[in-house]
């Protein structure tokens, strides 16, 4: 490693009276892989926005390869050699992989797209990332998420990127795909690129990172080599205090069966699944990406069509297959896609929290906004979310507080059964601990909770029982104490338990 390939010096950014970044300085050398960590609201999103040219800093400077770097937009950043791999991938599903890789920078000859050259470039870029041949002429929708992530990286390589920034790259990947991605990241570093990885999975850092930078309240509070640094060290730097219980446990005793699913089959997955969940119980759903966990929850709630099967709530069949009827029967659902379908980011906090149940404030077609605001403040407090003005637009909150609003909505719906799909994805360690505490308290109060998660340690520590999905089928269901990470992975992979 020689001189820094990328350098940020004393960068500050404010939004009105809110100081998002304060004199941020850090550097990444060619061949270096630097992890950028911090709580939700620490300033990571603003920093990434500045790197991508979405925001312009109020003060400070940046350099790439010794030259001034001051992008006025994403395309300008790309031309300067900085590429962003976002958590939500920018993929056109109906275009081929080659077309996605070249999107916005298609090679042309005499005014026409040079498709031969486009395919050759795509193949060459993917060959740097995968030892397996990938058909670049097939539509993107035909490939798994792990392959589409390689397509995003290949796009960056084709743009001659020298600095690549990954935002939560493993949040949607199973363990095997995440392991392959770590190998790709290490290979990119070995090829001389400067890599920045934003992640909340602190246990992953020794697998790929060389160095780290910790943000807290918009400032750099710690940095150094990963070697010799523990997760506890990073957590203490991130939150300013020690967190002894990353997985707080609330005592509870399972009661009567509240949710019963019999021979449930979806359009493709799941297939013939039967399952029971008791009051006061947290049931975990494990499995690899695409195993059918999310599809099972969506079928139960009524978001996806069921081919067959019966869902019973307290022994009474759920006859209608619509989310409206599920909500009426005290069934609540938290989507894994918080931005796409879980929340209305351009609406207010109070709208997001109450739209699924406006009855208590409605009279003669009119809403009592004062009464609603009082209830909203109480619901947010119960969910440990204190965003200030309930009329504020939801997108102004950090990801952690957005997730708390989604939880508060389920409480406001008075849901007795909570179906939670990846409830802590993209959430920092302190907020995760608060959410685990909330889940435990809800179970202790007699609610039935089902959690689908690709993070096996989460399931092992939070759940009472764990069920494993494999290719749409439900396999073993055992007490959490009977499982280990290794046995869960073997069962999820179909190679025994």
């Amino acid at each position: 490693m020689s001189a820094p390939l990328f350098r940020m010096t004393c960068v500050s950014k404010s939004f009105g009276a809110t100081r998002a970044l304060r004199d941020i300085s850090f550097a990444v050398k060619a061949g270096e892989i630097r992890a950028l960590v911090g709580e939700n609201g620490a300033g990571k999103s603003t920093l990434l926005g500045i790197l991508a040219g979405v925001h312009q800093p109020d003060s400070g400077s940046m350099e790439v390869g010794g030259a001034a770097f001051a992008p006025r937009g994403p395309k300008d950043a790309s031309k300067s050699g900085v590429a962003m791999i976002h958590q939500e991938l920018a993929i056109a599903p109906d275009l081929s992989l080659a077309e996605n890789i070249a999107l916005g920078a298609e090679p042309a000859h005499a005014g026409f797209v040079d498709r031969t050259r486009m395919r050759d470039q795509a193949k060459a870029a993917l060959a740097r990332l995968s030892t397996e041949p990938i058909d670049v002429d097939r539509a993107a929708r035909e490939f798994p998420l792990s392959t589409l992530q390689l397509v995003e990286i290949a796009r960056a390589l084709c743009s001659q990127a020298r600095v690549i920034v990954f935002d939560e790259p493993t949040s949607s990947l199973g363990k095997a795909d995440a392991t392959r991605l770590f190998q790709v990241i290490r290979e990119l570093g070995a090829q001389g690129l400067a890599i920045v990885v934003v992640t909340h999975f602190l246990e992953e850092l020794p697998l790929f990172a060389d160095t780290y930078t910790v943000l807290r309240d918009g400032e750099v509070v710690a940095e150094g080599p990963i070697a010799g640094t523990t997760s506890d060290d990073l957590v203490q730097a991130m939150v300013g205090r020690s967190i002894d219980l990353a997985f707080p446990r609330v005592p509870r005793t399972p009661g009567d069966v509240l949710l019963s699913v019999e021979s449930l089959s979806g359009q493709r997955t799941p297939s013939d699944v039967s399952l029971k969940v008791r009051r006061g119980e947290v049931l975990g759903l494990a499995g690899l990406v695409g195993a059918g966990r999310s599809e099972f929850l969506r079928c139960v709630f009524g978001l996806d069509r069921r081919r067959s099967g019966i869902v019973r709530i307290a022994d009474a069949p759920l006859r209608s297959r619509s989310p409206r009827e599920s909500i009426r029967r005290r069934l609540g659902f938290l989507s894994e896609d918080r931005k796409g379908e879980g929340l209305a980011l351009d609406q207010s906090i109070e709208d997001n929290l109450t739209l699924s149940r406006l009855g208590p404030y409605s009279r003669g077609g009119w809403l009592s906004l004062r009464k609603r605001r009082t209830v909203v403040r109480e619901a947010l407090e119960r969910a440990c979310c204190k965003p200030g003005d309930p009329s504020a637009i939801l997108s102004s909150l950090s990801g952690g507080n957005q997730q708390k609003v989604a939880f508060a909505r389920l409480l406001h719906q008075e849901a007795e059964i909570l179906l939670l799909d990846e409830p802590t994805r993209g959430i920092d360690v302190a907020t995760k601990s608060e959410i685990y505490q909330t889940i435990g308290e809800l179970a202790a109060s007699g609610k039935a909770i089902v959690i689908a998660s690709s993070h096996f340690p989460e399931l092992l520590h939070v759940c009472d029982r764990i069920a494993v999905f494999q290719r749409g089928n439900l396999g073993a269901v055992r007490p959490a104490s009977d499982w280990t990470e290794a046995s869960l992975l073997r069962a999820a992979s179909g190679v025994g338990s």
Side-chain angles (χ1 to χ4, degrees), residues 278-297:
R278 299 178 179 275
R279 286 188 178 276
E281 180 181 33
V282 181
L283 174 70
L285 304 182
L288 304 180
V289 174
R293 299 162 305 161
S294 298
E295 291 82 355
F296 171 74
L297 295 183

PDB file of all heavy atoms in Angstrom, residues 278-297:
ATOM      1  N   ARG A 278     -47.610 -20.611  19.255  1.00  0.00           N
ATOM      2  CA  ARG A 278     -48.353 -20.400  20.498  1.00  0.00           C
ATOM      3  C   ARG A 278     -48.243 -18.960  20.991  1.00  0.00           C
ATOM      4  O   ARG A 278     -47.316 -18.234  20.622  1.00  0.00           O
ATOM      5  CB  ARG A 278     -47.822 -21.351  21.579  1.00  0.00           C
ATOM      6  CG  ARG A 278     -47.975 -22.817  21.233  1.00  0.00           C
ATOM      7  CD  ARG A 278     -47.385 -23.704  22.328  1.00  0.00           C
ATOM      8  NE  ARG A 278     -47.563 -25.107  21.980  1.00  0.00           N
ATOM      9  CZ  ARG A 278     -48.664 -25.811  22.241  1.00  0.00           C
ATOM     10  NH1 ARG A 278     -49.689 -25.227  22.861  1.00  0.00           N
ATOM     11  NH2 ARG A 278     -48.757 -27.083  21.887  1.00  0.00           N
ATOM     12  N   ARG A 279     -49.185 -18.573  21.807  1.00  0.00           N
ATOM     13  CA  ARG A 279     -49.069 -17.295  22.504  1.00  0.00           C
ATOM     14  C   ARG A 279     -47.793 -17.314  23.345  1.00  0.00           C
ATOM     15  O   ARG A 279     -47.421 -18.338  23.913  1.00  0.00           O
ATOM     16  CB  ARG A 279     -50.263 -17.070  23.428  1.00  0.00           C
ATOM     17  CG  ARG A 279     -51.551 -16.714  22.714  1.00  0.00           C
ATOM     18  CD  ARG A 279     -52.614 -16.327  23.723  1.00  0.00           C
ATOM     19  NE  ARG A 279     -53.863 -15.939  23.071  1.00  0.00           N
ATOM     20  CZ  ARG A 279     -54.117 -14.725  22.595  1.00  0.00           C
ATOM     21  NH1 ARG A 279     -53.185 -13.776  22.720  1.00  0.00           N
ATOM     22  NH2 ARG A 279     -55.269 -14.442  22.021  1.00  0.00           N
ATOM     23  N   GLY A 280     -47.116 -16.178  23.409  1.00  0.00           N
ATOM     24  CA  GLY A 280     -45.923 -16.099  24.229  1.00  0.00           C
ATOM     25  C   GLY A 280     -44.719 -16.780  23.627  1.00  0.00           C
ATOM     26  O   GLY A 280     -43.718 -16.987  24.315  1.00  0.00           O
ATOM     27  N   GLU A 281     -44.788 -17.105  22.334  1.00  0.00           N
ATOM     28  CA  GLU A 281     -43.692 -17.818  21.678  1.00  0.00           C
ATOM     29  C   GLU A 281     -43.113 -16.988  20.531  1.00  0.00           C
ATOM     30  O   GLU A 281     -43.838 -16.293  19.814  1.00  0.00           O
ATOM     31  CB  GLU A 281     -44.194 -19.150  21.120  1.00  0.00           C
ATOM     32  CG  GLU A 281     -43.105 -19.955  20.407  1.00  0.00           C
ATOM     33  CD  GLU A 281     -43.608 -21.258  19.832  1.00  0.00           C
ATOM     34  OE1 GLU A 281     -44.780 -21.333  19.404  1.00  0.00           O
ATOM     35  OE2 GLU A 281     -42.812 -22.224  19.823  1.00  0.00           O
ATOM     36  N   VAL A 282     -41.798 -17.072  20.377  1.00  0.00           N
ATOM     37  CA  VAL A 282     -41.119 -16.493  19.212  1.00  0.00           C
ATOM     38  C   VAL A 282     -40.587 -17.649  18.381  1.00  0.00           C
ATOM     39  O   VAL A 282     -39.704 -18.390  18.822  1.00  0.00           O
ATOM     40  CB  VAL A 282     -39.966 -15.563  19.629  1.00  0.00           C
ATOM     41  CG1 VAL A 282     -39.300 -14.963  18.382  1.00  0.00           C
ATOM     42  CG2 VAL A 282     -40.456 -14.449  20.548  1.00  0.00           C
ATOM     43  N   LEU A 283     -41.154 -17.812  17.197  1.00  0.00           N
ATOM     44  CA  LEU A 283     -40.756 -18.892  16.287  1.00  0.00           C
ATOM     45  C   LEU A 283     -39.900 -18.308  15.173  1.00  0.00           C
ATOM     46  O   LEU A 283     -40.291 -17.338  14.514  1.00  0.00           O
ATOM     47  CB  LEU A 283     -41.985 -19.565  15.683  1.00  0.00           C
ATOM     48  CG  LEU A 283     -41.712 -20.624  14.604  1.00  0.00           C
ATOM     49  CD1 LEU A 283     -41.072 -21.856  15.230  1.00  0.00           C
ATOM     50  CD2 LEU A 283     -42.986 -20.990  13.862  1.00  0.00           C
ATOM     51  N   GLY A 284     -38.729 -18.881  14.950  1.00  0.00           N
ATOM     52  CA  GLY A 284     -37.840 -18.410  13.894  1.00  0.00           C
ATOM     53  C   GLY A 284     -37.947 -19.258  12.643  1.00  0.00           C
ATOM     54  O   GLY A 284     -38.152 -20.472  12.722  1.00  0.00           O
ATOM     55  N   LEU A 285     -37.822 -18.609  11.495  1.00  0.00           N
ATOM     56  CA  LEU A 285     -37.798 -19.300  10.198  1.00  0.00           C
ATOM     57  C   LEU A 285     -36.421 -19.096   9.583  1.00  0.00           C
ATOM     58  O   LEU A 285     -36.049 -17.979   9.219  1.00  0.00           O
ATOM     59  CB  LEU A 285     -38.877 -18.753   9.261  1.00  0.00           C
ATOM     60  CG  LEU A 285     -40.319 -18.781   9.759  1.00  0.00           C
ATOM     61  CD1 LEU A 285     -41.250 -18.249   8.681  1.00  0.00           C
ATOM     62  CD2 LEU A 285     -40.733 -20.187  10.166  1.00  0.00           C
ATOM     63  N   ALA A 286     -35.665 -20.186   9.482  1.00  0.00           N
ATOM     64  CA  ALA A 286     -34.325 -20.137   8.897  1.00  0.00           C
ATOM     65  C   ALA A 286     -34.365 -20.695   7.481  1.00  0.00           C
ATOM     66  O   ALA A 286     -35.320 -21.368   7.086  1.00  0.00           O
ATOM     67  CB  ALA A 286     -33.345 -20.934   9.754  1.00  0.00           C
ATOM     68  N   GLY A 287     -33.326 -20.424   6.728  1.00  0.00           N
ATOM     69  CA  GLY A 287     -33.246 -20.923   5.359  1.00  0.00           C
ATOM     70  C   GLY A 287     -32.354 -20.032   4.531  1.00  0.00           C
ATOM     71  O   GLY A 287     -32.077 -18.891   4.901  1.00  0.00           O
ATOM     72  N   LEU A 288     -31.898 -20.546   3.414  1.00  0.00           N
ATOM     73  CA  LEU A 288     -31.096 -19.748   2.499  1.00  0.00           C
ATOM     74  C   LEU A 288     -32.007 -18.801   1.727  1.00  0.00           C
ATOM     75  O   LEU A 288     -33.236 -18.939   1.732  1.00  0.00           O
ATOM     76  CB  LEU A 288     -30.339 -20.663   1.534  1.00  0.00           C
ATOM     77  CG  LEU A 288     -29.437 -21.715   2.183  1.00  0.00           C
ATOM     78  CD1 LEU A 288     -28.751 -22.557   1.122  1.00  0.00           C
ATOM     79  CD2 LEU A 288     -28.413 -21.061   3.109  1.00  0.00           C
ATOM     80  N   VAL A 289     -31.399 -17.812   1.058  1.00  0.00           N
ATOM     81  CA  VAL A 289     -32.175 -16.873   0.242  1.00  0.00           C
ATOM     82  C   VAL A 289     -32.943 -17.648  -0.822  1.00  0.00           C
ATOM     83  O   VAL A 289     -32.379 -18.483  -1.533  1.00  0.00           O
ATOM     84  CB  VAL A 289     -31.249 -15.828  -0.407  1.00  0.00           C
ATOM     85  CG1 VAL A 289     -32.031 -14.950  -1.369  1.00  0.00           C
ATOM     86  CG2 VAL A 289     -30.581 -14.974   0.659  1.00  0.00           C
ATOM     87  N   GLY A 290     -34.271 -17.404  -0.919  1.00  0.00           N
ATOM     88  CA  GLY A 290     -35.104 -18.087  -1.893  1.00  0.00           C
ATOM     89  C   GLY A 290     -35.667 -19.406  -1.411  1.00  0.00           C
ATOM     90  O   GLY A 290     -36.312 -20.131  -2.180  1.00  0.00           O
ATOM     91  N   ALA A 291     -35.460 -19.735  -0.125  1.00  0.00           N
ATOM     92  CA  ALA A 291     -35.920 -21.020   0.397  1.00  0.00           C
ATOM     93  C   ALA A 291     -37.421 -21.061   0.620  1.00  0.00           C
ATOM     94  O   ALA A 291     -37.991 -22.149   0.748  1.00  0.00           O
ATOM     95  CB  ALA A 291     -35.194 -21.355   1.697  1.00  0.00           C
ATOM     96  N   GLY A 292     -38.076 -19.900   0.681  1.00  0.00           N
ATOM     97  CA  GLY A 292     -39.522 -19.876   0.852  1.00  0.00           C
ATOM     98  C   GLY A 292     -40.000 -19.264   2.146  1.00  0.00           C
ATOM     99  O   GLY A 292     -41.200 -19.226   2.408  1.00  0.00           O
ATOM    100  N   ARG A 293     -39.080 -18.728   2.968  1.00  0.00           N
ATOM    101  CA  ARG A 293     -39.484 -18.126   4.248  1.00  0.00           C
ATOM    102  C   ARG A 293     -40.387 -16.918   4.034  1.00  0.00           C
ATOM    103  O   ARG A 293     -41.473 -16.826   4.619  1.00  0.00           O
ATOM    104  CB  ARG A 293     -38.254 -17.687   5.034  1.00  0.00           C
ATOM    105  CG  ARG A 293     -37.285 -18.784   5.409  1.00  0.00           C
ATOM    106  CD  ARG A 293     -35.936 -18.182   5.777  1.00  0.00           C
ATOM    107  NE  ARG A 293     -35.424 -17.337   4.701  1.00  0.00           N
ATOM    108  CZ  ARG A 293     -34.482 -16.422   4.858  1.00  0.00           C
ATOM    109  NH1 ARG A 293     -33.953 -16.231   6.041  1.00  0.00           N
ATOM    110  NH2 ARG A 293     -34.061 -15.709   3.838  1.00  0.00           N
ATOM    111  N   SER A 294     -39.923 -15.981   3.205  1.00  0.00           N
ATOM    112  CA  SER A 294     -40.710 -14.768   2.968  1.00  0.00           C
ATOM    113  C   SER A 294     -42.030 -15.099   2.296  1.00  0.00           C
ATOM    114  O   SER A 294     -43.083 -14.539   2.639  1.00  0.00           O
ATOM    115  CB  SER A 294     -39.922 -13.781   2.089  1.00  0.00           C
ATOM    116  OG  SER A 294     -38.739 -13.371   2.735  1.00  0.00           O
ATOM    117  N   GLU A 295     -41.991 -16.018   1.332  1.00  0.00           N
ATOM    118  CA  GLU A 295     -43.217 -16.404   0.621  1.00  0.00           C
ATOM    119  C   GLU A 295     -44.228 -17.016   1.579  1.00  0.00           C
ATOM    120  O   GLU A 295     -45.442 -16.787   1.443  1.00  0.00           O
ATOM    121  CB  GLU A 295     -42.879 -17.387  -0.498  1.00  0.00           C
ATOM    122  CG  GLU A 295     -42.085 -16.781  -1.656  1.00  0.00           C
ATOM    123  CD  GLU A 295     -40.593 -16.695  -1.395  1.00  0.00           C
ATOM    124  OE1 GLU A 295     -40.157 -17.029  -0.262  1.00  0.00           O
ATOM    125  OE2 GLU A 295     -39.858 -16.265  -2.300  1.00  0.00           O
ATOM    126  N   PHE A 296     -43.756 -17.778   2.544  1.00  0.00           N
ATOM    127  CA  PHE A 296     -44.656 -18.368   3.539  1.00  0.00           C
ATOM    128  C   PHE A 296     -45.367 -17.272   4.334  1.00  0.00           C
ATOM    129  O   PHE A 296     -46.597 -17.296   4.484  1.00  0.00           O
ATOM    130  CB  PHE A 296     -43.863 -19.273   4.482  1.00  0.00           C
ATOM    131  CG  PHE A 296     -44.645 -19.753   5.669  1.00  0.00           C
ATOM    132  CD1 PHE A 296     -45.620 -20.733   5.537  1.00  0.00           C
ATOM    133  CD2 PHE A 296     -44.411 -19.213   6.927  1.00  0.00           C
ATOM    134  CE1 PHE A 296     -46.353 -21.162   6.635  1.00  0.00           C
ATOM    135  CE2 PHE A 296     -45.130 -19.637   8.026  1.00  0.00           C
ATOM    136  CZ  PHE A 296     -46.106 -20.617   7.882  1.00  0.00           C
ATOM    137  N   LEU A 297     -44.623 -16.296   4.840  1.00  0.00           N
ATOM    138  CA  LEU A 297     -45.230 -15.215   5.612  1.00  0.00           C
ATOM    139  C   LEU A 297     -46.217 -14.418   4.768  1.00  0.00           C
ATOM    140  O   LEU A 297     -47.299 -14.045   5.234  1.00  0.00           O
ATOM    141  CB  LEU A 297     -44.149 -14.284   6.164  1.00  0.00           C
ATOM    142  CG  LEU A 297     -43.182 -14.876   7.202  1.00  0.00           C
ATOM    143  CD1 LEU A 297     -42.221 -13.802   7.702  1.00  0.00           C
ATOM    144  CD2 LEU A 297     -43.937 -15.482   8.369  1.00  0.00           C
TER     145      LEU A 297
END
